[in-house]
Amino acid sequence: MPYNVTETFGMNENILDSEVGLVTKTRYATKSMATDVDGRKVIKAGSLYTNPDVSTEFGVFLEDHDMTDYDNKPVAIVFQGRLKSDKCASTVTAKKDDFAKTGLYLV
C-alpha cells in the first residue's frame, strides 16, 4: 500500500545527539501507539516504542508520524546510539538505565 498523504504539521524534532554508532531498524507502528494532537493521531519523535510481538524489544521513534489515515505503517526506530534526553518523552527518560544496557544512551 503506498503512503501518499504528505502534510506538515510543524517542525520535526531532531532527537539525535550524534549519528556515530546509530542503529535504526524498520518496524510497524499502529494507530493505537499515537496520541491526539489537534484532531490528528500523531506519534512524536522521541516517543517510546515497544514491540507488541516481542515484549523485550524497545526503542525510540526517530521521526514524527501522522497515523490518522493509516492503521499501521513502517517507521524508523532507534535501538542504539546517542539521543538528546530533553527531546525524548518522559516514558523514555524513565527507562534511561534499561536503554543504556542495550547501547542507547540519553545525554
Side-chain angles (χ1 to χ4, degrees), residues 81-102:
R82 294 169 51 102
L83 303 178
K84 298 175 185 174
S85 61
D86 62 328
K87 300 290 184 179
C88 293
S90 60
T91 53
V92 172
T93 55
K95 292 177 96 34
K96 183 176 185 174
D97 294 334
D98 294 333
F99 281 125
K101 292 175 187 173
T102 64

Side-chain angles (χ1 to χ4, degrees), residues 22-37:
L22 181 67
V23 175
T24 62
K25 296 181 181 180
T26 302
R27 296 291 186 262
Y28 274 91
T30 62
K31 191 179 280 191
S32 64
M33 296 175 182
T35 57
D36 286 321
V37 177

